[in-house]
Every structure is written in structure tokens, then in C-alpha cells.
Amino acid sequence: YATGIMSFDSTSPVRATSYSYSWGFVTLNNGNQFYGYLTNIKGVLNGKPPVTGTPVEVKYRKSTNVASVTDSFTATELTVPIFEDPSIFALQNTLRFTWGGKEYIDQGGKLYRDINRLSGVGTEAGTFNPSTGEAKISGWDNVSVATAPVLQSLITTTSEQGKSIIAFQVDNAPIRVSSFHVDATTVGGVALSANADANGVISGYLIKGVIDIDSGACRISFGEVVTALGNESEIWYDASQVDGSGNIWKPVEVIESSVKYNAVAQTFIPLDKAILGLDPLRLPEDGRVPVFQKGDVAVIRNSVDVTGTYTSSSTLNLGRTLLSDVMIKDNVGVDLDSAKYTVDYATGIISWLDLTGVSQPLTITHEVEDLALINDVQITGALGLGSQLTHDYPVAGTLVSSALIHGDMYSHPEEPFDQKTWTGVWQDTLIGDPTTAELNTSIYPILTTNASAITERWVLIFTNSTTVNVIGETVGQIGTGLSINSNIAINNPATGFPYFTIDFRAFGGGWSSGNAIRFNTIGANVPVWIVQSVKQGAPANTDPDALTFCLSVRGSRNS
């Protein structure tokens, strides 16, 4: 090394050793095992030295060029091969090993450490593939590289088979809506999970299925939709299963014992009728009552909002025909003057007139709707309709509402009667003695209009022989000192037309102070009872806008 001279001995053979390197378990004489980096000698090669005159390539480094380099890295995952036999499977939840002073256990394909024996809660620290036998540790404390994992327990089997479709029934039913969850591990070791929605549809990566929440019957398929082209040689390929888009379902096998589910079962206890306010005898056990019934009329309605800035004398095509309603608001939320535009509801085209001074952009809400008779009702919420819909209704912005059909409505007065004395009691039959005078409605009937008449009890109380006060049971006193020598007609302030009209000729004579004429009017409307039902428990939605509702009154007016 000092002189830099290298000498060759042409008489000694050359020996070269070949090595291989791997990770694995080593069993010591005392029976203990450790897991580490193994060096194996593959063989020893014997040969002769080069003869004189043969070129020799020599690589050397001067002592002055020596440099020390240190590098470090942080490992994010360590792989521990528990077994390497492809013909066996590990049973779920049977693996247990220790490493670096921590115990790791398998739960459904996931590794946990630091398990609390009382609560069962631990720290997720990796995954375990029961088909390949690989445990991948992704969470650990500071551990010496010399520390070897020690296997404590594992059960393997050769009978475990992969399944691409499973069907079963949950132990307890019915189950709560949206409470079903399923986990599985593919034969290739990929962990899968999925949830069921409100309709019982199960969907997730490589998972699709359905569960009936009432019976608990469940069917799940594992796989994905792929392009059929290029897969004709696969064992699962079936030309009859190729859809119109050229796709086919490719099944994926999962380890049967890895399939686990959880769900919330429901038990219903009828409430005492004193608490409920009605007899629960005829109510369903689960308390669910269909909103719709066969023979009801449903209104299917879709609403779309469009925002934009528009110019005078231009048009806007909303892209839908046969509109049912169009509402336009300016930039501050005020309804746009109808003199500023016209709407062709058949074609869905808005013609803008003069938009000078209008605060823009404008927000346009346009709606389409259908009225249809319901001929089938399912507890799942599915409705069967008796007629074809005239539009396509996307999920977004579509509502199905019930319609209260009342037929023809018209206002009218009921037969009046008179009392000698007004007692202050609102009763539809005579109280005390009648008067000698009579209101002649057979020739001069009380007149009402659909626009202004309301459903109300009325009384005319005579203050003397020719003047009356007019009082309504709910509207109070609306007229005083009115002469019976003129028509009695008091306007409804909401419409500007009379509640009713009594012809002066109907009164005749013979009236005296204290006499009363009682009659009722029936308006061209119907009462609607609106009830909001709130389930017990914590509020699910505190947004005030989510607690609102809308009543839409529609009809036709006969001339």
C-alpha cells in the first residue's frame, strides 16, 4: 500500500465466493427464533490466475481521497412474511406476534397494537394479507433494527375458498335505515368496505349489493365494471353479459371468512295512547305510515334556477318546454315587474322587453310538473303512477307532493233565522223566541261572491227599528248604525268587494231594538290541517330554511 506495487502469484489458484441475501427467520440452538437479514453462500468458484502478458484491470483509491458519507431515511412500512406457501390461507383474526416490545394482532385484515383489554380499543398499526401471508407494519415506536418479530399464534387452512357473490340474512331485523356496513378482504389482500344507503343499496369500491331493511335479506357481489374487449379469454367472460356500452362485470374473489357486517337492529315498543294522543292499535309496529295511498293524486315537480345578465329586446331559451311556472327576481331578491318580460310556457322562451334600470344579474326559477294518479305504493317510497310523465325528472330539484282534490267550490249563504234577543252565544239554532218580523230571502236572497265571501258566522243586531250593527264571530264588529233602508254590504279589505250583500227590500217592517238576524256564509275555500311531526331525540337539522314548507293553490275559475 505504501509503494502502490501489486504482485501476482502465478502458482496459487483463485477462489471466488458467491453470496445471496434475504430476510427470514433463523432458529438458534436453544430453540429461539429471530427475524433478520440473512447471508447465504451460494457457492465457491476455483480458477487459475491470468497468464503473463494478460491485461489486468485494477481499481484503486488513494488514501488522500477517502471520504465519509452518512445518509439516513425514514421507513414508512415494514413487511414481515408470516408464511410463503401459496396453497394455504390464514384464518381471519388468528395472527398474533410481538415485535419491538409490542404485541400485534389481526382484526379483519388490519393489525392493531396496544390493545386495551377492558375496552378492546387499540392503535391501528398495519395490515395483514391472509392469502399471501404478508404482514405490513406501518405504525411502530422506536425499535432497534436487531429486534426480530416473534410469532405467537396463527391458524392456516387449505380449504378457504374465494367468493365473488355472497347472500345471507342478518341476525336481527328490521334494521335501521342506512346503518348497514360490510367489510371484506380480497384474495389479493385488498381491504374493502361499503355502506347501504336509505334505499338499502350497498355500494363501494369493488362492492355492490342490496339489503332489505325489513327482512334483513342481503346479497352482495364483489367486482367492477370493465371494458369487455380484451377479456374474451378470461374464465369469467360471458358474451351475453356484455351491456350496450361494451362493458362487462368482472368478479373479484374475496376470502369468505373475511366478510363481516354490522347493522343496527330496531325494536319497536308501542307508546301509551295517553302519551301518543291517539290509539296506536291500528298503527304499524315500526310506526311508519305511507304518506301516499292508492288513488291519491301526486304532483311531480322539478325546479331549476338560472342566473344571468340579459339585455332589452333579447330572448332566452330555458331549454325546457311545457313549463308550469316561471319566477324572476332581480339582484336584490325583488320580483321582476311582469311588464319587463313575456313568457311562452309552451316553448320555454322568455322575451325580454325593456330592462332599463333593472338590477342584474337576474335569477330565473322555472318549473315543470305533472299530475298523476297513484296506482301503487311501496313502503320503500316507490310510487307507481297511472299515466306517463311528460318530462324527465332528475333527482336534483325534484319533489313529489300530495294533492288535495276538492272538486268545484263556490261561496253561498246558509238559511238565516231571527231571534227576539241576541244572547251573545254563537249557535246555529234559535235561542229563545223568534221575532214577528222576518227577513224575506226567498225573494231577495243574500248574495255572495267567490272572491270575497269567507266562512263565517254573522249577526245583525238592531239598535232601533231601522238601523243595525254587523258583527262576525271571528272578524268582530265591521259595521255600526247601518240603515236597513239601503243594501247592507261591507267590503272585505283583502279584495275590496263585499263579504255579502243583503237587499234592503228583504227587511220589511216590524223590527225593534235588540232583535237579531243570524246567518252563516260559506267561502269558496276549504280548511287544511297542517301538522309537523318531530321524532324524539336530538335535532338532526337546525337550519331554519330546512324546516319550511310550501303550499301551492291552483284551480280554474268558471265565468
Side-chain angles (χ1 to χ4, degrees):
Y1 284 95
T3 63
I5 298 175
M6 180 179 290
S7 301
F8 291 95
D9 183 356
S10 61
T11 61
S12 299
V14 176
R15 295 176 59 84
T17 304
S18 175
Y19 299 93
S20 67
Y21 308 93
S22 65
W23 287 88
F25 287 97
V26 175
T27 303
L28 303 180
N29 292 333
N30 59 8
N32 292 332
Q33 284 188 326
F34 72 89
Y35 185 79
Y37 194 56
L38 307 181
T39 303
N40 302 309
I41 299 176
K42 296 179 66 177
V44 178
L45 303 178
N46 293 318
K48 294 181 178 181
V51 297
T52 303
T54 301
V56 177
E57 181 181 347
V58 178
K59 294 182 179 181
Y60 64 94
R61 182 179 62 192
K62 294 181 178 180
S63 60
T64 56
N65 294 335
V66 175
S68 176
V69 178
T70 302
D71 194 9
S72 63
F73 72 98
T74 300
T76 58
E77 188 176 74
L78 299 178
T79 300
V80 180
I82 304 300
F83 61 86
E84 297 180 343
D85 187 344
S87 66
I88 64 174
F89 287 89
L91 296 185
Q92 288 279 317
N93 307 332
T94 63
L95 171 64
R96 185 188 301 269
F97 66 90
T98 58
W99 180 60
K102 299 289 185 179
E103 184 179 65
Y104 294 81
I105 65 171
D106 166 40
Q107 288 292 327
K110 295 182 178 180
L111 295 178
Y112 293 89
R113 63 179 178 87
D114 299 328
I115 305 295
N116 186 310
R117 300 301 179 185
L118 296 178
S119 65
V121 178
T123 301
E124 187 174 340
T127 60
F128 174 59
N129 186 334
S131 61
T132 65
E134 283 189 343
K136 295 185 177 182
I137 304 174
S138 57
W140 65 85
D141 295 329
N142 293 328
V143 179
S144 171
V145 295
T147 303
V150 178
L151 182 65
Q152 293 182 318
S153 68
L154 177 68
I155 300 177
T156 61
T157 178
T158 59
S159 61
E160 185 79 22
Q161 298 295 321
K163 303 292 184 182
S164 62
I165 299 176
I166 61 171
F168 59 93
Q169 188 165 13
V170 300
D171 294 335
N172 297 297
I175 65 173
R176 193 174 71 188
V177 174
S178 303
S179 69
F180 181 84
H181 176 85
V182 63
D183 290 311
T185 302
T186 69
V187 172
V190 179
L192 308 177
S193 64
N195 297 304
D197 64 14
N199 296 317
V201 177
I202 304 168
S203 61
Y205 175 61
L206 298 181
I207 298 179
K208 74 172 184 177
V210 64
I211 182 170
D212 183 85
I213 61 175
D214 293 319
S215 65
C218 180
R219 177 184 172 89
I220 301 176
S221 299
F222 300 92
E224 61 182 334
V225 176
V226 298
T227 302
L229 185 63
N231 290 303
E232 292 81 359
S233 62
E234 296 291 341
I235 190 173
W236 45 264
Y237 181 84
D238 183 350
S240 65
Q241 300 301 313
V242 179
D243 62 22
S245 301
N247 297 323
I248 191 173
W249 177 259
K250 176 185 176 181
V252 172
E253 291 188 342
V254 299
I255 301 170
E256 188 174 9
S257 64
S258 73
V259 180
K260 301 290 188 296
Y261 77 85
N262 59 63
V264 179
Q266 291 182 308
T267 301
F268 302 98
I269 302 175
L271 290 176
D272 185 272
K273 63 180 180 180
I275 299 174
L276 191 59
L278 53 87
D279 191 345
L281 181 62
R282 299 184 64 183
L283 291 177
E285 184 184 45
D286 60 2
R288 293 191 299 165
V289 180
V291 175
F292 302 98
Q293 302 290 337
K294 291 182 180 180
D296 287 351
V297 174
V299 180
I300 302 93
R301 180 169 131 273
N302 178 264
S303 178
V304 174
D305 290 339
V306 178
T307 301
T309 301
Y310 309 100
T311 59
S312 302
S313 303
S314 63
T315 60
L316 171 65
N317 191 335
L318 296 174
R320 298 199 293 187
T321 60
L322 301 177
L323 302 179
S324 61
D325 197 7
V326 174
M327 295 166 284
I328 305 176
K329 295 182 180 295
D330 63 15
N331 191 37
V332 294
V334 177
D335 290 336
L336 184 63
D337 186 351
S338 59
K340 300 286 186 180
Y341 64 95
T342 61
V343 179
D344 188 330
Y345 289 88
T347 62
I349 295 177
I350 299 177
S351 297
W352 303 110
L353 303 178
D354 184 6
L355 295 179
T356 303
V358 174
S359 177
Q360 298 202 53
L362 302 178
T363 299
I364 305 166
T365 302
H366 57 94
E367 299 177 351
V368 294
E369 69 176 32
D370 278 284
L371 274 75
L373 191 68
I374 299 174
N375 58 18
D376 183 50
V377 179
Q378 300 294 329
I379 194 63
T380 59
L383 299 178
L385 304 178
S387 60
Q388 181 69 33
L389 299 178
T390 60
H391 300 83
D392 290 331
Y393 289 91
V395 174
T398 297
L399 296 174
V400 178
S401 306
S402 56
L404 299 177
I405 306 299
H406 298 292
D408 295 337
M409 294 182 292
Y410 58 92
S411 67
H412 61 281
E414 293 185 337
E415 185 66 25
F417 61 91
D418 50 67
Q419 291 183 182
K420 191 172 184 179
T421 304
W422 171 243
T423 63
V425 177
W426 295 96
Q427 182 173 300
D428 292 336
T429 57
L430 175 66
I431 299 176
D433 297 327
T435 63
T436 56
E438 294 292 339
L439 188 69
N440 186 2
T441 56
S442 59
I443 299 177
Y444 307 106
I446 300 174
L447 302 179
T448 60
T449 63
N450 290 340
S452 297
I454 63 173
T455 300
E456 178 67 302
R457 288 171 170 173
W458 303 99
V459 62
L460 276 60
I461 302 175
F462 282 83
T463 57
N464 55 50
S465 60
T466 59
T467 60
V468 295
N469 293 340
V470 180
I471 303 172
E473 181 181 18
T474 59
V475 299
Q477 183 169 278
I478 61 173
T480 59
L482 302 179
S483 173
I484 63 173
N485 294 319
S486 301
N487 291 345
I488 303 296
I490 302 174
N491 286 347
N492 183 337
T495 64
F497 295 95
Y499 289 108
F500 57 84
T501 300
I502 302 177
D503 194 299
F504 71 96
R505 290 169 293 183
F507 286 98
W511 302 99
S512 61
S513 179
N515 291 166
I517 300 175
R518 270 278 294 112
F519 66 96
N520 300 334
T521 57
I522 307 300
N525 47 43
V526 292
V528 177
W529 185 27
I530 301 173
V531 178
Q532 183 181 22
S533 177
V534 181
K535 291 183 178 181
Q536 66 272 25
N541 195 330
T542 58
D543 182 4
D545 292 336
L547 304 178
T548 61
F549 63 91
C550 177
L551 289 178
S552 177
V553 181
R554 64 196 67 198
S556 60
R557 182 175 63 186
N558 294 327
S559 57

